[in-house]
Amino acid sequence: MTSSSSLLRRPYLLGAVALLALSVACRLDMLLKPTNLPRPALTVTPAEVQDTARAHSSEVKHAAVSMTNNGGGTLTWTASDRSDWIRLEPREGEVPATLTITMDPDNLGPGTYEADVTIIARTATDSQITTIPVTFVVQRPGLNVNPSTITRSTNFGSNQTFNETIQISNSGNGTLDWTASEDASWLSLGATSGSGDATVPVTINSAGLGGGIYHEDIVITAPGALGSPAHV
């Protein structure tokens, strides 16, 4: 026979067992439910690349592209392009990372070159594709020199001095870096180097010269420029 005290304690025991079972079920439910992590999100900076260089020169240009994950999880990436004037380093890795885009004008003539660098970022179940437009303006300056000849005459023993000028201008695009030289004791230049359009003073001094015809070339050189070298 069950005592009255046992009957009174049983509801409390059953209640405690029920609460324990509910607690275990809740904890098991929390363990079984997947955690809602943020989706991986690739961010690429800058969104496009632009640069300039002189045609057929060694002015190799570099652009650094930063890759970050603004979401959760892990991203791996690969980079590719289809242009022979672009180099990528590295071509794969894990985010975060920095991709270097190198643009080489060595085998390029003047003009505007465009290409795309494609970055594919992958997770275990998904992928994201980002395209970076690349614009490379290849320039070629043009060396224009005026006049092309300078002729002066004087009498023997006059010790006369002539002051002339040579005009240098850029008939193309890009930077025109130039140098001027001569190799005569009776000739001197007021400037021997510069960048861009310029006026070069020329002095012809007949003092100490005997009778005769004297000839000398003034050579103006602009590396990579059309029309270089020029002779006056």
Side-chain angles (χ1 to χ4, degrees), residues 30-44:
M30 291 175 62
L31 291 174
L32 293 177
K33 283 184 178 179
T35 304
N36 293 324
L37 295 175
R39 181 177 180 272
L42 178 68
T43 299
V44 176

Side-chain angles (χ1 to χ4, degrees), residues 163-222:
N163 295 312
E164 305 293 336
T165 59
I166 296 175
Q167 302 295 326
I168 298 175
S169 60
N170 185 357
S171 59
N173 56 17
T175 303
L176 179 71
D177 296 322
W178 56 268
T179 59
S181 62
E182 49 77 25
D183 191 24
S185 60
W186 48 272
L187 192 62
S188 63
L189 303 177
T192 56
S193 64
S195 181
D197 298 349
T199 298
V200 179
V202 179
T203 301
I204 303 171
N205 189 357
S206 66
L209 297 180
I213 298 175
Y214 294 82
H215 179 272
E216 176 64 17
D217 274 355
I218 299 172
V219 181
I220 301 172
T221 304

